[in-house]
């Protein structure tokens, strides 16, 4: 009985520890970065089991707020090399190992 309670406590501690967004790289202006980060967190929490829907929500919202041509990739264990407009890139982690990359191409 104690083992399962201890495991639940450890899992809760892990989730609490990794439930904040961790920005790895961004060249966005402060205001845009905060809005994009909050949008990414909201989408990832809303669609916790469907990364495609979360990416679609982020892309559509960014297109409406900051003009078109935004791209979004959400997942674990991927690499990338992109060309993007200056001051339009956000690369962050959320929930431990879930990576989110948002950028704009012209």
């Amino acid at each position: 009985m104690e083992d399962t309670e201890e495991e639940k406590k450890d899992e809760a501690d892990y989730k609490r520890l990794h439930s904040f967004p961790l920005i790895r790289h961004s060249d966005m202006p402060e205001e845009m970065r905060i809005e994009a980060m909050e949008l990414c967190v909201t989408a990832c929490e809303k669609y916790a089991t469907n990364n495609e829907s979360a990416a679609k929500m982020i892309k559509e919202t960014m297109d409406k707020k900051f003009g078109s041509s935004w791209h979004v990739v959400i997942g674990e264990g991927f690499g990338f090399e992109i060309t993007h407009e200056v001051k339009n890139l956000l690369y962050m982690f959320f929930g431990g190992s879930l990576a989110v990359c948002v950028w704009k191409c012209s």
Side-chain angles (χ1 to χ4, degrees), residues 35-58:
E35 245 182 276
M37 182 185 66
E38 289 173 353
L39 174 62
C40 291
V41 169
T42 302
C44 289
E45 287 176 344
K46 183 175 182 180
Y47 298 104
T49 58
N50 190 344
N51 292 343
E52 188 176 340
S53 295
K56 186 176 180 179
M57 177 184 163
I58 295 167

Side-chain angles (χ1 to χ4, degrees), residues 23-82:
I23 296 178
R24 293 289 296 164
H25 179 76
S26 177
D27 64 357
M28 290 180 171
E30 180 76 17
E31 206 171 289
M32 182 190 282
R33 183 176 71 234
I34 290 170
E35 245 182 276
M37 182 185 66
E38 289 173 353
L39 174 62
C40 291
V41 169
T42 302
C44 289
E45 287 176 344
K46 183 175 182 180
Y47 298 104
T49 58
N50 190 344
N51 292 343
E52 188 176 340
S53 295
K56 186 176 180 179
M57 177 184 163
I58 295 167
K59 185 214 178 332
E60 289 173 353
T61 306
M62 294 295 284
D63 283 347
K64 287 177 189 170
K65 286 188 177 182
F66 303 109
S68 62
S69 298
W70 285 92
H71 304 275
V72 181
V73 175
I74 300 176
E76 296 179 18
F78 64 88
F80 62 92
E81 184 174 329
I82 59 171

